[in-house]
Amino acid sequence: NSLVQSKAPGELSDELHDLMSKLTPQSSSLEAKTAPESFGIAAGPADLARQASESGELTTAPCRWERVHERQGAKLSSACFNGDGSLFAVSGSDGVVQLFNGHTGASLLNRSASVRSQVSSIDFKGNLVLSTAESKADLWCVPVSGPMQLLRTLTRSLTRLSASKSIVAGKLSPDCRYVATGGREMNIWDTEQGNCLRSIDPQNQSKCLSLDIDPDGKFLCCGLATRQGGELRLYDL
């Protein structure tokens, strides 16, 4: 499987090398595409978008909002829609993942038991919800009705766990067969068995704060905090 093939440090596959070579020469055209007039102002009327295009300045318009949930004594730090937008999941400092109707905002009975730690990130694909907290990632199944069921917990052996091994980000692959988690190290997991298939050390005291897997499951994109500032990396899976 492409996700478990080992690569020597710094070695890129032909596909990733081709991808990078295509992206690099287009930096000037990328800047042109990100000019304000290319975005439009989705939240405002056409005249505001036209004014922004003419002036080159971003114009904001009022956006309607509605409070759909309030959780006493807990800070909500993570939210994610599922693939078709029919549901979204929310979690925070109380360690509970709660589901809501994506169209009405109504709270559903589907919720997880508390993981007793603040959830740092969640991802929602198909009928699976991934939540990360401290040094573990929990994989939940969303039933048609009733509470969410814990399928398995992804964690390294106790001898390797420490504050530096905390997991702050996690993503399901598009086909939900794999999970990527990030922190002081990045790991690729098999969702069926819960095994760690690959571990990536970012080195130099870097820490992965966000990550994602491309739609084809071939590349891992990571946003890193480094001693010098920040860094974006593409890993060949």
Coordinates of all heavy atoms in Angstrom, one line a residue, residues 5-61:
Q5 N 4.7 2.6 2.4 CA 6.0 2.5 1.8 C 6.9 3.4 2.4 O 6.6 4.6 2.6 CB 5.9 2.7 0.3 CG 5.1 1.7 -0.5 CD 4.9 2.0 -1.9 OE1 5.3 3.1 -2.4 NE2 4.4 1.1 -2.7
S6 N 8.1 3.0 2.8 CA 9.1 3.8 3.4 C 9.9 4.6 2.4 O 10.2 4.1 1.3 CB 10.0 3.0 4.3 OG 9.3 2.4 5.3
K7 N 10.3 5.8 2.7 CA 11.1 6.7 1.9 C 12.3 7.1 2.7 O 12.2 7.4 3.9 CB 10.3 7.9 1.3 CG 9.2 7.5 0.4 CD 9.8 7.2 -1.0 CE 8.7 7.1 -2.0 NZ 7.8 6.0 -1.8
A8 N 13.4 7.2 2.1 CA 14.6 7.8 2.8 C 14.4 9.2 3.1 O 13.6 9.9 2.4 CB 15.9 7.6 2.0
P9 N 14.9 9.8 4.2 CA 14.7 11.2 4.5 C 15.1 12.1 3.4 O 16.1 12.0 2.8 CB 15.6 11.4 5.7 CG 15.8 10.1 6.3 CD 15.8 9.1 5.2
G10 N 14.1 13.0 3.0 CA 14.3 13.9 1.9 C 14.1 13.4 0.6 O 14.1 14.1 -0.4
E11 N 13.8 12.1 0.5 CA 13.5 11.5 -0.8 C 12.1 11.7 -1.3 O 11.2 11.4 -0.5 CB 13.8 10.0 -0.8 CG 13.6 9.3 -2.1 CD 13.9 7.8 -2.0 OE1 14.4 7.3 -1.0 OE2 13.6 7.1 -3.0
L12 N 11.9 12.2 -2.4 CA 10.5 12.4 -2.9 C 10.2 11.5 -4.0 O 11.0 11.1 -4.8 CB 10.4 13.9 -3.5 CG 10.7 15.0 -2.5 CD1 10.6 16.3 -3.3 CD2 9.8 15.0 -1.3
S13 N 8.9 11.1 -4.1 CA 8.5 10.2 -5.2 C 8.4 11.1 -6.5 O 8.5 12.3 -6.4 CB 7.1 9.7 -4.9 OG 6.1 10.7 -5.0
D14 N 8.3 10.4 -7.6 CA 8.3 11.1 -8.9 C 7.0 11.9 -8.9 O 7.0 13.0 -9.5 CB 8.3 10.1 -10.0 CG 9.6 9.3 -10.1 OD1 10.6 9.9 -9.6 OD2 9.6 8.2 -10.7
E15 N 5.9 11.4 -8.3 CA 4.7 12.2 -8.4 C 4.8 13.5 -7.6 O 4.3 14.5 -8.0 CB 3.5 11.3 -7.8 CG 3.1 10.2 -8.7 CD 2.0 9.4 -8.1 OE1 2.3 8.7 -7.1 OE2 0.9 9.4 -8.6
L16 N 5.3 13.4 -6.4 CA 5.5 14.6 -5.6 C 6.5 15.6 -6.2 O 6.3 16.8 -6.2 CB 5.9 14.2 -4.2 CG 6.1 15.4 -3.2 CD1 4.8 16.2 -3.1 CD2 6.4 14.9 -1.8
H17 N 7.5 15.0 -6.8 CA 8.5 15.9 -7.5 C 7.9 16.6 -8.6 O 8.1 17.8 -8.8 CB 9.7 15.1 -8.0 CG 10.8 15.9 -8.6 ND1 10.8 16.3 -9.9 CD2 11.9 16.4 -8.0 CE1 11.9 17.0 -10.1 NE2 12.6 17.1 -9.0
D18 N 7.0 15.9 -9.4 CA 6.3 16.6 -10.5 C 5.3 17.6 -10.0 O 5.2 18.7 -10.6 CB 5.5 15.5 -11.3 CG 6.5 14.6 -12.1 OD1 7.7 14.9 -12.2 OD2 6.0 13.5 -12.5
L19 N 4.7 17.3 -8.9 CA 3.7 18.3 -8.3 C 4.4 19.5 -7.9 O 4.0 20.6 -8.2 CB 3.0 17.6 -7.1 CG 2.0 18.6 -6.4 CD1 0.9 19.0 -7.3 CD2 1.5 17.9 -5.1
M20 N 5.5 19.4 -7.2 CA 6.3 20.6 -6.7 C 6.8 21.4 -7.9 O 6.8 22.6 -7.9 CB 7.4 20.2 -5.8 CG 6.9 19.4 -4.5 SD 5.8 20.4 -3.5 CE 7.0 21.7 -3.0
S21 N 7.3 20.7 -9.0 CA 7.8 21.4 -10.1 C 6.7 22.2 -10.8 O 7.0 23.3 -11.4 CB 8.5 20.5 -11.1 OG 7.6 19.5 -11.6
K22 N 5.5 21.7 -10.8 CA 4.4 22.4 -11.4 C 4.0 23.6 -10.6 O 3.6 24.6 -11.2 CB 3.2 21.5 -11.6 CG 3.5 20.4 -12.7 CD 2.3 19.5 -12.8 CE 2.5 18.4 -13.8 NZ 1.4 17.4 -13.8
L23 N 4.1 23.5 -9.3 CA 3.6 24.6 -8.4 C 4.6 25.8 -8.4 O 4.2 26.9 -8.4 CB 3.4 24.1 -7.0 CG 2.2 23.2 -6.8 CD1 2.2 22.7 -5.4 CD2 0.9 23.9 -7.1
T24 N 5.9 25.4 -8.3 CA 6.9 26.5 -8.1 C 6.9 27.6 -9.2 O 6.9 28.7 -8.9 CB 8.3 25.8 -8.0 OG1 8.3 24.9 -6.9 CG2 9.4 26.9 -7.7
P25 N 6.9 27.2 -10.5 CA 7.0 28.3 -11.5 C 5.8 29.2 -11.6 O 5.9 30.2 -12.2 CB 7.2 27.5 -12.8 CG 7.6 26.1 -12.4 CD 6.9 25.9 -11.1
Q26 N 4.7 28.8 -10.9 CA 3.5 29.5 -11.1 C 3.2 30.5 -9.9 O 2.1 30.9 -9.7 CB 2.3 28.5 -11.1 CG 2.4 27.6 -12.4 CD 1.2 26.7 -12.4 OE1 0.4 26.6 -11.5 NE2 1.1 25.9 -13.5
S27 N 4.3 30.8 -9.1 CA 4.1 31.7 -8.0 C 3.5 33.0 -8.4 O 2.7 33.6 -7.8 CB 5.4 31.8 -7.2 OG 6.4 32.4 -8.1
S28 N 4.0 33.6 -9.6 CA 3.6 34.9 -10.0 C 2.1 34.8 -10.4 O 1.3 35.7 -10.1 CB 4.4 35.4 -11.2 OG 4.4 34.4 -12.3
S29 N 1.7 33.8 -11.1 CA 0.3 33.6 -11.5 C -0.6 33.4 -10.3 O -1.7 33.8 -10.3 CB 0.2 32.5 -12.6 OG 0.5 31.3 -12.0
L30 N -0.1 32.7 -9.3 CA -0.8 32.5 -8.1 C -1.2 33.8 -7.4 O -2.3 34.0 -6.9 CB -0.1 31.6 -7.1 CG -0.8 31.2 -5.8 CD1 -2.1 30.4 -6.2 CD2 0.1 30.3 -5.0
E31 N -0.2 34.7 -7.4 CA -0.4 36.0 -6.8 C -1.5 36.8 -7.5 O -2.3 37.4 -7.0 CB 0.9 36.8 -6.8 CG 1.9 36.2 -5.8 CD 3.2 37.0 -5.9 OE1 3.3 38.0 -6.7 OE2 4.2 36.6 -5.2
A32 N -1.5 36.6 -8.8 CA -2.5 37.3 -9.6 C -3.9 36.8 -9.4 O -4.9 37.5 -9.3 CB -2.2 37.2 -11.1
K33 N -4.0 35.4 -9.2 CA -5.3 34.8 -8.9 C -5.8 35.2 -7.6 O -7.0 35.0 -7.4 CB -5.2 33.3 -9.1 CG -4.9 32.9 -10.5 CD -4.8 31.3 -10.6 CE -4.6 30.9 -12.0 NZ -4.4 29.4 -12.1
T34 N -5.0 35.5 -6.6 CA -5.5 35.8 -5.3 C -5.7 37.3 -5.1 O -5.9 37.8 -4.0 CB -4.5 35.4 -4.2 OG1 -3.2 35.9 -4.5 CG2 -4.3 33.8 -4.3
A35 N -5.8 38.1 -6.2 CA -6.1 39.5 -6.1 C -7.6 39.6 -5.6 O -8.4 38.7 -5.8 CB -6.0 40.2 -7.4
P36 N -7.9 40.6 -4.9 CA -9.3 40.7 -4.3 C -10.4 40.5 -5.3 O -11.4 39.9 -5.0 CB -9.3 42.2 -3.7 CG -7.9 42.5 -3.4 CD -7.1 41.8 -4.5
E37 N -10.2 41.0 -6.6 CA -11.3 40.9 -7.5 C -11.6 39.5 -7.9 O -12.7 39.2 -8.4 CB -11.0 41.7 -8.8 CG -9.7 41.3 -9.5 CD -8.6 42.2 -9.1 OE1 -8.6 42.7 -8.0 OE2 -7.6 42.3 -9.8
S38 N -10.7 38.5 -7.7 CA -11.0 37.2 -8.1 C -11.9 36.4 -7.1 O -12.5 35.5 -7.4 CB -9.6 36.4 -8.2 OG -9.0 36.3 -6.9
F39 N -11.9 37.0 -5.8 CA -12.7 36.3 -4.8 C -14.2 36.6 -4.9 O -15.1 35.8 -4.7 CB -12.2 36.7 -3.4 CG -10.9 36.0 -3.1 CD1 -9.8 36.8 -2.9 CD2 -10.8 34.7 -3.0 CE1 -8.6 36.3 -2.5 CE2 -9.6 34.1 -2.6 CZ -8.5 34.9 -2.4
G40 N -14.5 37.9 -5.2 CA -15.9 38.3 -5.1 C -16.2 38.4 -3.6 O -15.5 38.0 -2.8
I41 N -17.4 38.9 -3.3 CA -17.8 39.0 -1.9 C -19.1 38.2 -1.8 O -20.2 38.7 -2.1 CB -18.1 40.4 -1.5 CG1 -16.8 41.3 -1.8 CG2 -18.4 40.5 0.0 CD1 -15.6 40.9 -1.0
A42 N -18.9 36.9 -1.4 CA -20.1 36.0 -1.4 C -21.2 36.5 -0.4 O -22.4 36.2 -0.6 CB -19.6 34.6 -1.0
A43 N -20.8 37.2 0.7 CA -21.8 37.5 1.7 C -22.5 38.8 1.4 O -23.4 39.2 2.1 CB -21.1 37.6 3.0
G44 N -22.0 39.6 0.4 CA -22.6 40.9 0.1 C -23.2 41.0 -1.2 O -23.1 40.1 -2.1
P45 N -24.0 42.0 -1.6 CA -24.6 42.2 -2.9 C -23.6 42.5 -3.9 O -22.4 42.7 -3.7 CB -25.5 43.4 -2.7 CG -24.9 44.2 -1.5 CD -24.3 43.1 -0.6
A46 N -24.0 42.5 -5.2 CA -23.1 42.6 -6.3 C -22.4 43.9 -6.3 O -21.2 44.0 -6.8 CB -23.9 42.4 -7.6
D47 N -23.0 45.0 -5.9 CA -22.3 46.3 -5.9 C -21.1 46.3 -5.0 O -20.1 47.0 -5.3 CB -23.3 47.4 -5.6 CG -24.0 47.3 -4.3 OD1 -24.0 46.1 -3.8 OD2 -24.4 48.3 -3.7
L48 N -21.2 45.7 -3.8 CA -20.1 45.6 -2.9 C -18.9 44.9 -3.5 O -17.7 45.3 -3.4 CB -20.5 45.0 -1.6 CG -21.4 45.8 -0.7 CD1 -21.7 45.0 0.6 CD2 -20.7 47.1 -0.3
A49 N -19.2 43.8 -4.2 CA -18.2 43.0 -4.9 C -17.5 43.8 -6.0 O -16.3 43.8 -6.2 CB -18.8 41.7 -5.5
R50 N -18.3 44.6 -6.7 CA -17.8 45.4 -7.8 C -16.9 46.5 -7.2 O -15.9 46.9 -7.8 CB -19.0 46.0 -8.6 CG -18.5 46.8 -9.8 CD -19.7 47.1 -10.8 NE -20.8 47.7 -10.0 CZ -22.0 47.1 -9.7 NH1 -22.1 45.8 -10.1 NH2 -22.9 47.7 -9.1
Q51 N -17.3 47.1 -6.1 CA -16.5 48.2 -5.5 C -15.2 47.6 -5.0 O -14.1 48.2 -5.2 CB -17.3 48.8 -4.3 CG -18.5 49.6 -4.7 CD -19.3 50.0 -3.4 OE1 -18.8 50.0 -2.3 NE2 -20.5 50.5 -3.7
A52 N -15.2 46.4 -4.5 CA -14.0 45.8 -4.0 C -13.0 45.5 -5.2 O -11.8 45.7 -5.1 CB -14.3 44.5 -3.3
S53 N -13.6 45.1 -6.3 CA -12.8 44.9 -7.5 C -12.2 46.1 -8.1 O -11.0 46.1 -8.5 CB -13.7 44.2 -8.6 OG -13.0 44.0 -9.8
E54 N -12.9 47.2 -8.0 CA -12.4 48.5 -8.6 C -11.4 49.1 -7.6 O -10.4 49.7 -8.1 CB -13.6 49.4 -8.8 CG -14.5 49.0 -9.9 CD -15.8 49.8 -10.0 OE1 -16.0 50.7 -9.1 OE2 -16.6 49.6 -10.9
S55 N -11.6 49.0 -6.3 CA -10.7 49.7 -5.4 C -9.5 48.8 -5.0 O -8.5 49.3 -4.5 CB -11.5 50.1 -4.1 OG -11.9 48.9 -3.4
G56 N -9.7 47.5 -5.2 CA -8.6 46.6 -4.8 C -8.6 46.4 -3.3 O -7.6 45.8 -2.7
E57 N -9.6 46.8 -2.6 CA -9.7 46.6 -1.1 C -10.8 45.7 -0.8 O -11.9 45.7 -1.4 CB -9.9 48.0 -0.4 CG -8.8 49.0 -0.6 CD -9.1 50.3 0.1 OE1 -10.2 50.4 0.7 OE2 -8.2 51.1 0.1
L58 N -10.6 44.8 0.2 CA -11.6 43.9 0.6 C -12.8 44.6 1.3 O -12.6 45.4 2.2 CB -11.0 42.8 1.6 CG -12.0 41.8 2.1 CD1 -12.5 40.9 1.0 CD2 -11.3 40.9 3.2
T59 N -14.0 44.4 0.9 CA -15.2 45.0 1.5 C -16.0 43.9 2.2 O -16.2 42.8 1.6 CB -16.1 45.6 0.4 OG1 -15.3 46.6 -0.3 CG2 -17.2 46.3 1.0
T60 N -16.3 44.1 3.4 CA -17.1 43.2 4.2 C -18.6 43.6 4.3 O -18.9 44.8 4.2 CB -16.5 43.0 5.6 OG1 -16.6 44.2 6.3 CG2 -15.1 42.5 5.5
A61 N -19.4 42.7 4.4 CA -20.9 42.9 4.5 C -21.4 42.2 5.7 O -20.8 41.2 6.1 CB -21.6 42.5 3.2

